[in-house]
Amino acid sequence: MYDFRFALAFYGTPTRPRLVALVAQEEVISSSGQDEPPGMHMIYLPYSDDVRYPEEVHLTSGDAPRATDEQIKKASNLLRRIDLKHFSVSHFANPGLQKHYGILEALALGEDEMPDIKDETLPDEEGLARPGVVKAIEEFKAAVFGENYDQEEAEAAAAKGGASKKRKAIADAASQKSAAYDWADLADNGKLKDMTVMDLKTYLTAHGLAVSGKKDAIISRILTHLGK
């Protein structure tokens, strides 16, 4: 049994009070130097009404989903490929702080341009593109989703692309019809109210605006977009 101790503290503002637990972290030192600095972890604590009691579901061994031996093997191989050896959070600089310090330095030196900040937390695209990693990812996908998963993804993308083409065709047709009117002149002379709702909606569609609402709301939306 572990003896777990933490400090209970108040954090936030009077309008948004939060209780937090402060957990101490010991310094970790290895032959290469400091791996983990000493400090405190701050953990937000829930209020009584934040606690949820999920419904318990009792499954038999036959009902519970289980990974196959092949899926476990492919997942293990993938994890070995992308494992970060000797990982430590102290090896990666905080990009937000780096940018903050870079701006302070530029202001102090009177420089016009901000220095380039290298975000070390971004994914290693070059490393993930290595043939061994790509092969491990594809084998894992095939083991989980089946051999034809890529074909299903292509079909879904094609269907999405078809819907996008249809929306673009509607917008292009509305733009052509809308171009036949001098909307600024119609607005200045108060003639928008004499147009049909369908004609008014061509302006909204052509400019990517919402077409819902009654005629007065549509006219108001057009006038706002025209800056009238």
Side-chain angles (χ1 to χ4, degrees), residues 153-205:
E153 290 182 353
E155 291 175 354
K160 185 177 180 180
S164 299
K165 290 180 180 179
K166 185 177 180 180
R167 288 194 296 268
K168 186 177 184 301
I170 294 174
D172 291 342
S175 297
Q176 292 179 1
K177 189 173 181 179
S178 174
Y181 298 99
D182 187 343
W183 293 97
D185 181 69
L186 292 171
D188 291 337
N189 293 293
K191 294 183 179 180
L192 290 178
K193 63 180 182 297
D194 299 330
M195 301 180 66
T196 66
V197 173
M198 292 301 296
D199 287 338
L200 292 171
K201 286 185 176 181
T202 60
Y203 179 91
L204 299 176
T205 304

Side-chain angles (χ1 to χ4, degrees), residues 5 46 55 78-79 116 126 137 139 172 184-185 199:
R5 298 184 181 183
E55 181 182 352
L78 174 58
L79 289 176
D116 293 331
E126 182 179 350
I137 293 174
E139 289 179 349
D172 291 342
D185 181 69
D199 287 338

